[in-house]
Amino acid sequence: MLGNAGGVVLPEGYLADAYARVRAAGGLCIADEVQVGFGRMGSSFWGFEQSGVVPDIITIAKPMGNGFPIGGVITSKKIADALASQGQFFSSAGGNPLSCRVGLAVLDAMEEEGLQENARVVGERLANGFRELAERHELVGPVHGEGLYLGVELVRDRETLEPAKTEAAAICERLKELGVVVLTTSERSNVLKVKPPLCLTPESADYVVAALDRVLTEGW
């Protein structure tokens, strides 16, 4: 199962090769789309589409309900039937009518409000803003991701990519005081994880960039 927590775009052919190796060994390929699915990447509805692969099982949760607790598993009838033969599946809230109505309403709103396209357009604006900051602030390294799933890597040295872990944590706290909520991510905790709502406006994107610029300029 492959997910993406830091906004790093997978190398060309990586996922296709990984899927081929798993299937050759008799395994199933699971796409964890909890964070990158439901239009967040902008150019595609599912994250795995960008790698040109088709998983055997898709897992999805938070985006389905826009705050309402709901999750889902998408798979083929063949796999579902095989799992059913191994025992019973039980969930107290599984498949209840209210959750289903909420999930459908979220999909309707996404289509009517053009949220996937908004993620593409505003996400590109946001990423370009972060890259412009890198031209003025040495601490800003590579900007990862696509759409409204971005990672701003903070480094002490652009050649060695020495992680600016302490600085990243302090910057997050200062940004919070300015009304911008981001978290650190990656195994080195030096990447600012920028994952705003899909309805983010261009004005709000500009505010995020300006706030980070202010923090980097004034110090933290």
Side-chain angles (χ1 to χ4, degrees), residues 120-133:
R120 185 188 69 80
V121 174
V122 178
E124 184 177 0
R125 184 187 186 106
L126 193 56
N128 287 337
F130 291 142
R131 293 187 178 102
E132 289 174 3
L133 291 185

Side-chain angles (χ1 to χ4, degrees), residues 9-76:
V9 177
L10 295 174
E12 184 72 26
Y14 175 84
L15 201 57
D17 186 59
Y19 272 34
R21 290 170 183 265
V22 168
R23 286 169 173 155
L28 296 176
C29 297
I30 305 173
D32 176 3
E33 294 281 333
V34 171
Q35 298 196 67
V36 296
F38 261 54
R40 178 161 293 278
M41 304 299 285
S43 61
S44 62
F45 190 81
W46 300 112
F48 64 78
E49 291 181 277
Q50 300 191 348
S51 296
V53 298
V54 179
D56 300 297
I57 300 173
I58 303 169
T59 58
I60 185 67
K62 296 171 286 188
M64 292 181 70
N66 192 33
F68 186 89
I70 181 177
V73 176
I74 304 169
T75 190
S76 66

Side-chain angles (χ1 to χ4, degrees), residues 79-89:
I79 292 175
D81 288 345
L83 291 173
S85 69
Q86 303 301 311
Q88 292 184 330
F89 169 78

Side-chain angles (χ1 to χ4, degrees), residues 65-181:
N66 192 33
F68 186 89
I70 181 177
V73 176
I74 304 169
T75 190
S76 66
K77 185 176 187 302
K78 179 181 179 181
I79 292 175
D81 288 345
L83 291 173
S85 69
Q86 303 301 311
Q88 292 184 330
F89 169 78
F90 177 80
S91 173
S92 298
N96 71 80
L98 176 59
S99 295
C100 293
R101 290 292 296 176
V102 169
L104 290 172
V106 169
L107 288 172
D108 289 341
M110 287 186 63
E111 182 177 4
E112 293 166 5
E113 299 175 21
L115 295 185
Q116 181 176 327
E117 176 65 6
N118 188 69
R120 185 188 69 80
V121 174
V122 178
E124 184 177 0
R125 184 187 186 106
L126 193 56
N128 287 337
F130 291 142
R131 293 187 178 102
E132 289 174 3
L133 291 185
E135 298 175 3
R136 304 198 302 274
H137 301 284
E138 289 295 323
L139 195 68
V140 179
V143 177
H144 307 288
E146 185 178 334
L148 289 178
Y149 193 73
L150 302 172
V152 181
E153 189 170 351
L154 302 182
V155 297
R156 294 171 183 162
D157 186 300
R158 291 188 178 179
E159 294 298 323
T160 64
L161 297 181
E162 179 186 354
K165 178 179 178 179
T166 302
E167 295 90 329
I171 287 171
C172 283
E173 288 300 314
R174 180 67 181 116
L175 284 173
K176 185 170 65 175
E177 295 173 359
L178 298 177
V180 176
V181 179

